[in-house]
């Protein structure tokens, strides 16, 4: 049976402590990269990859996300009256984008727990998970690249990226072997994975990045997984258990990733995205040049 990926889950209930104090009263997913909230980049990627149902796992203090994807009658009326048609189009485009379902994770008990919270809304079908912090600039949306692999293998697929040894301890790291097939050396079969290993214990230089395609078997596995590092239910622990039941692949995606949940990563992404904009690129470049940094 060839199963399709229609549902995309966005875990967005984390506390965003790396971005305090900005995230004290607003979700980090709503921080703007130039003029668009981080999470909208992820939603646009999921839609471009063919997902038509978006599921957001939110928590306390995250209502701005719901408002963002909802209709704003007052704002639309004012923009209409003031004949600001282009802005009206931009605002309408967001709420017209798609139907979004929300489920609340009452406590931030970890990414694995957030995924498990989406169980009822996902049901018994394979689905995508996108961590909105990982904004990936790619010619072909990364989720689309991964869905192609899923359609061929019908197995869970993890996005992976080669990471320098100095940075590897910040990630879930994969032990892999090259997979057969025609993927230009980008596809691996996953043998094992370790969450945030010391550099000398890392099984490879392949880090897990915030895009996953998972089979629904992950739910049973997560519901039986013990709480791990930091008192949280870790997705990596669930994936390791799933690996004992099913084959799983890792795909070295094509694209440029920005970790926008980190302050430096956010600044770099802001600069790169602004420089690419038709309306802002030239004056912004001129401004940066004039800074005469040493
Ligand atoms: P992060 O590791 O980035 O954690 O979570 P965080 O809490 O959001 O941010 P920091 O590290 O404190 O700055 C990865 C993803 O998992 C979600 C987050 O919202 C983020 O998209 N998450 C994490 C949940 O939805 N629930 C949780 O309990 C934990």
């Amino acid at each position: 049976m060839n199963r399709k990926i229609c549902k995309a889950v966005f875990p967005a209930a984390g506390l965003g402590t790396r971005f305090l104090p900005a995230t004290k009263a607003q979700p980090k997913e709503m921080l703007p990269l130039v003029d668009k909230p981080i999470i909208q980049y992820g939603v646009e990627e999921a839609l471009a990859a063919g997902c038509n149902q978006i599921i957001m796992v939110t928590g306390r203090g995250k209502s701005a996300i719901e408002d963002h994807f909802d209709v704003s009658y007052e704002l639309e009326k004012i923009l209409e009256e003031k004949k600001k048609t282009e802005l009206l189009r931009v605002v309408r485009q967001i709420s017209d984008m798609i139907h979004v379902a929300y489920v609340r994770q009452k406590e931030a008990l970890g990414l694995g727990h957030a995924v498990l919270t989406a169980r009822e809304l996902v049901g018994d079908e394979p689905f995508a998970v996108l961590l909105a912090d990982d904004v990936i600039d790619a010619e072909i949306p990364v989720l689309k690249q991964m869905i192609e692999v899923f359609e061929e293998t019908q197995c869970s697929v993890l996005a992976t990226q080669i990471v320098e040894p100095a940075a590897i301890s910040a990630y879930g790291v994969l032990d892999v072997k090259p997979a057969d097939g025609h993927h230009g050396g980008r596809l691996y079969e996953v043998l094992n994975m370790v969450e945030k290993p010391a550099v000398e214990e890392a099984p490879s230089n392949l880090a897990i990045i915030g895009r996953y395609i998972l089979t629904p078997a992950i739910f049973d596995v997560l519901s039986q997984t013990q709480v791990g590092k930091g008192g949280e239910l870790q997705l990596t622990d669930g994936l390791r258990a799933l690996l004992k039941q099913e084959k799983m692949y890792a795909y070295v995606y094509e694209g440029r990733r920005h970790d926008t949940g980190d302050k430096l990563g956010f600044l770099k992404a802001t600069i790169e995205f602004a420089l690419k904009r038709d309306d802002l690129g030239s004056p912004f470049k001129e401004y940066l040049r004039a800074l005469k940094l040493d």
Side-chain angles (χ1 to χ4, degrees):
M1 188 178 60
N2 261 8
R3 298 168 299 173
K4 292 241 172 276
I5 305 295
C6 302
K7 295 179 179 171
V9 175
F10 287 80
L15 301 176
T17 51
R18 282 173 297 158
F19 230 115
L20 281 167
T23 47
K24 187 178 170 213
Q26 70 168 330
K28 67 172 171 184
E29 294 80 8
M30 288 303 296
L31 295 173
L33 267 190
V34 186
D35 55 5
K36 205 195 287 184
I38 284 168
I39 196 156
Q40 194 178 328
Y41 289 89
V43 169
E44 287 174 0
E45 179 183 328
L47 297 183
C51 295
N52 55 16
Q53 293 181 58
I54 304 292
I55 297 164
M56 296 213 183
V57 182
T58 64
R60 253 187 303 281
K62 301 279 183 170
S63 54
I65 299 178
E66 296 179 34
D67 290 342
H68 182 70
F69 291 101
D70 199 359
V71 176
S72 175
Y73 289 108
E74 302 82 353
L75 180 61
E76 287 188 17
K77 199 161 163 275
I78 291 167
L79 292 175
E80 226 168 58
E81 280 166 11
K82 297 197 166 164
K83 309 236 175 314
K84 304 222 165 173
T85 31
E86 177 52 22
L87 286 177
L88 185 62
R89 189 190 61 79
V90 169
V91 165
R92 279 206 178 128
Q93 210 177 23
I94 300 166
S95 51
D96 285 350
M97 220 182 254
I98 202 146
H99 174 71
V100 187
Y102 297 90
V103 59
R104 262 173 102 100
Q105 186 190 21
K106 289 184 190 140
E107 274 182 272
L109 297 177
L111 176 56
H113 184 263
V115 170
L116 190 55
T117 306
R119 181 176 199 161
E120 277 182 32
L121 289 174
V122 172
D124 190 27
E125 59 183 280
F127 62 103
V129 175
L130 295 93
L131 306 188
D133 306 17
D134 277 338
V135 176
I136 311 177
D137 194 11
E139 219 163 280
I140 301 170
V142 170
L143 193 61
K144 191 162 189 220
Q145 299 175 31
M146 295 170 70
I147 285 178
E148 277 170 23
V149 174
F150 173 81
E151 285 177 349
E152 192 182 314
T153 62
Q154 296 288 307
C155 291
S156 295
V157 185
L158 314 180
T160 183
Q161 178 193 322
I162 295 170
V163 165
E164 294 296 315
I168 201 86
S169 307
Y171 295 89
V173 182
L174 295 165
D175 186 9
V176 293
K177 68 171 189 190
D180 305 328
H182 317 282
H183 294 277
R186 292 182 173 273
L187 190 63
Y188 291 91
E189 193 182 323
V190 178
L191 302 174
N192 200 357
M193 62 193 79
V194 197
E195 182 64 19
K196 303 191 171 68
V199 64
E200 58 282 0
E201 277 157 28
S204 74
N205 58 358
L206 292 175
I208 305 173
I209 300 306
R211 300 284 184 279
Y212 310 77
I213 290 177
L214 301 174
T215 64
I218 190 69
F219 293 125
D220 272 346
V221 162
L222 279 172
S223 67
Q224 289 156 20
T225 302
Q226 299 293 318
V227 165
K229 268 187 191 169
E232 295 191 341
L233 182 52
Q234 301 285 349
L235 182 58
T236 313
D237 291 339
L239 291 173
R240 203 179 307 106
L242 185 61
L243 202 49
K244 296 199 174 110
Q245 300 176 11
E246 297 182 355
K247 232 179 188 187
M248 193 180 288
Y249 289 94
Y251 186 70
V252 184
Y253 59 84
E254 286 178 75
R256 185 163 167 75
R257 164 185 164 262
H258 300 277
D259 177 7
T260 63
D262 166 78
K263 286 174 192 173
L264 187 58
F266 178 87
L267 289 171
K268 289 179 184 172
T270 301
I271 289 183
E272 290 192 24
F273 277 71
L275 285 172
K276 281 185 152 199
R277 285 271 295 250
D278 289 342
D279 54 343
L280 297 167
S282 305
F284 189 48
K285 195 186 250 176
E286 227 169 87
Y287 165 76
L288 290 176
R289 279 212 181 100
L291 287 177
K292 295 198 173 65
L293 303 172
D294 37 58

